[in-house]
Amino acid sequence: MNEVFEKNKGVFPAGEKSGDALEGNFISRAIDDTEWWAIAWIEAYDLTGDRRYLDMAVTIANYVQGYWDTSTCGGGVWWDRERTYKNAVTNGLYIRMTAALHNRLVGDTVWLQRATAGWNWFIGSGMINSSNLVNDGVTGACANNGQTVWTYNQGLAIGGALELWRATGDSSLLARARQLGDAAMSSLSPGGVLTESCDPAGTCDDNQKQFKGIFMRYFMDLADSTGDASYRTYAQRQADSIWQNDRDSLNRLGERWAGGGTRDWRTQASALGALVAATPAG
């Protein structure tokens, strides 16, 4: 973690470390990519207790806060510096990030206010549809755009609700996390196995290959937070299917957890996320 931190916190031109230029402190024009770094350094702080990781997460979050904008659609964080789109991933990450900072910064009130505002905006945006599935974003007219239900958006909505529940003790947040988890199990899991919409045709791009692993990271949080046996069973089913049906002779794990599809480092990381999710907390 120290090596990643020290070698990547500087300034790099576009194409060297990322498609976008990195401007120092893990900041780029892509607000969601920047938020992922904040989440990573919060987790690094949890593992090590090293305050510089938490301080970096605060630095990143302060940058992101500049893209919270109430003048369009009444709130929400923009997806990019050009302010072209308000979407589920950026705002799911924002809720998780701000609530997590509150839960780690003694005496904080500011990040909690921001997390609560983020959640209230997200719920009011209509991005969670009537089936408790998260569509990709909102239109220019500030309505659900009906675009693809990606598993990572579903997972981040669960993760944001859970972190804010830990911050506030509001039982309605835990109930909403359950609704989102239940919807994923019933609607995104043909044959009981989590499936990305692009999996059957093999058309997932390099980002989409990783989405299911992100979902499982936050679904694991739901299972750990509730102790619900049905969530444990679902997580175990994913791990079992991957190990039995999606593993080749070199232990490479593929894109389609029911079996088949591309195998690369992205699909490996995503499937490993599901294996980890099947392990008990502790």
Side-chain angles (χ1 to χ4, degrees), residues 81-149:
R81 184 174 290 160
E82 294 76 18
R83 300 178 182 241
T84 62
Y85 187 34
K86 288 186 176 180
N87 62 355
V89 61
T90 312
N91 286 281
L93 282 163
Y94 177 80
I95 297 161
R96 180 78 181 195
M97 175 187 71
T98 51
L101 288 177
H102 167 75
N103 288 336
R104 289 155 181 81
L105 294 169
V106 176
D108 167 72
T109 57
V110 172
W111 291 111
L112 179 59
Q113 292 169 355
R114 291 170 175 173
T116 302
W119 177 258
N120 289 340
W121 180 83
F122 181 66
I123 292 298
S125 72
M127 276 187 279
I128 301 176
N129 64 35
S130 59
S131 299
N132 283 309
L133 297 173
V134 181
N135 293 104
D136 192 65
V138 295
T139 66
C142 305
N144 184 323
N145 63 16
Q147 290 184 21
T148 304
V149 175

Side-chain angles (χ1 to χ4, degrees), residues 4 7-22 37:
V4 171
K7 288 188 175 180
N8 291 275
K9 68 181 181 181
V11 176
F12 301 93
E16 182 171 334
K17 294 279 188 179
S18 140
D20 296 316
L22 296 178
W37 278 115

